[in-house]
Every structure is written in structure tokens, then in C-alpha cells.
Amino acid sequence: MTKYSLLPSTDLSKLETHRGADIQREGREKVNEGDESNQRSTAIRAEVQAQIIECLNRFYAMETGMWGNPVDCLIIRTVVQGRLQGKLYDLSALSEVLGLPISTLHRKIGHLVESGFLMREPRGKSIYISPTDNTNISLDESFENMVATLRRLYKGDIKFDKKSADID
């Protein structure tokens, strides 16, 4: 049994036994391991964030290259997604989903119809907005680039070890 003797100060550097020195060293090692683990986790998180941002930037560049400004891209993307999900949007539904005034959407959609990206589909008393064949074709053509970007992101250049893979 080892005898421990502390001076009045609670400073661990004042431990007077060899066992005390061992406890100090073990404590410092655990702190250092924790710091290394935190640093590794922070580095991995930063790299993943950088890759996600790069992916989003590439998608943004592809979209704006195909369809113009960000609001136009948002409108087209929403209409295309609605079509893929079997939902058709009229101006009021699109206004509600996007949080844009109907007057703005009416003007923007008029421009997108003139540009050949969207078309109006009269059905009964409503007029629904849908993507044109050209919009669908340009989206299909860019799809391979989008998939390649996602594959690159998920393939990743980061080597996860067992310890860092358990970190959120």
C-alpha cells in the first residue's frame, strides 16, 4: 500500500510519492490523448464541411449555368422536384412553398416561360407550372456531374480510424 502525502496546496505537482508522479503522468497523458482526439475530430469535421461546401458550390454553378440567377434556379428546382414527386404547383402553391409574393413569381415565371425553362399547363380552372423538355434534358445531362461530385464527396480523402469514426 502506497502512502500519499499532500502539502496544503492541492497542486498535483506537489505529490511526494513515486505513485503520485505516476498519477500525474497518467493524468497528463489522458488530457493529451483527449486533446489529440478533439483535434482529430475538429480536423475531420472541417474537412467534411469543406467537401460539402464544395459540393454545394458545384451544384450551384451547374444550376446557375443552366438556368440563370439563384431565384430562377430555386423556382425551377422546386417545380422539377414537384413533378418528380407527382405534385403540380400553381402560382399560389409555389408562392407558399417558396415564401415569395405571387406578383414576383408571376413575373419570374413569365420570364422562365419565355426563356423556355418552364411552361404553363392549364387544367380546369387552374394553371400549373411544369418544366419543359429542354429543362428536363439539361437536368439529365448535368445529373452525371452531380453524381460524380457526390461520389467524390462520399469517397472522401479522409482516412477514418476506429477512434475518430466513433466521434460525432
Side-chain angles (χ1 to χ4, degrees):
M1 186 163 150
T2 308
K3 182 178 176 183
Y4 298 100
S5 157
L6 288 176
L7 295 175
S9 168
T10 57
D11 183 4
L12 290 179
S13 65
K14 305 287 184 186
L15 286 173
E16 295 180 7
T17 66
H18 292 294
R19 178 70 184 132
D22 292 342
I23 292 171
Q24 281 183 294
R25 188 176 68 259
E26 288 172 11
R28 282 193 303 268
E29 288 172 358
K30 285 182 182 177
V31 168
N32 289 340
E33 285 176 15
D35 287 347
E36 288 175 15
S37 178
N38 286 340
Q39 289 172 350
R40 197 172 337 138
S41 175
T42 300
I44 289 170
R45 183 179 181 88
E47 181 63 27
V48 169
Q49 286 174 341
Q51 288 183 6
I52 289 170
I53 290 168
E54 180 183 345
C55 181
L56 292 172
N57 287 340
R58 286 176 184 236
F59 286 173
Y60 175 80
M62 284 185 262
E63 274 190 340
T64 55
M66 290 186 295
W67 301 321
N69 71 50
V71 175
D72 290 350
C73 293
L74 177 64
I75 293 168
I76 293 169
R77 185 180 339 111
T78 303
V79 169
V80 168
Q81 184 65 25
R83 174 61 73 138
L84 293 172
Q85 294 175 344
K87 299 176 192 174
L88 295 178
Y89 289 105
D90 61 7
L91 281 177
S92 62
L94 200 53
S95 171
E96 187 175 323
V97 168
L98 298 177
L100 295 171
I102 290 177
S103 59
T104 299
L105 279 173
H106 185 61
R107 181 174 39 81
K108 291 281 197 186
I109 288 172
H111 172 72
L112 292 169
V113 167
E114 288 174 13
S115 299
F117 297 122
L118 297 177
M119 62 183 174
R120 294 183 178 100
E121 290 186 29
R123 293 193 181 181
K125 293 181 181 181
S126 296
I127 297 177
Y128 293 97
I129 311 302
S130 63
T132 62
D133 289 339
N134 288 340
T135 298
N136 290 326
I137 289 168
S138 65
L139 183 62
D140 286 344
E141 290 172 352
S142 69
F143 181 74
E144 289 303 319
N145 288 332
M146 291 179 188
V147 169
T149 300
L150 285 173
R151 282 190 180 136
R152 183 172 166 270
L153 172 66
Y154 284 108
K155 178 187 101 183
D157 299 329
I158 302 170
K159 305 295 184 228
F160 289 98
D161 60 27
K162 185 169 175 37
K163 274 189 173 180
S164 63
D166 295 335
I167 298 170
D168 290 338

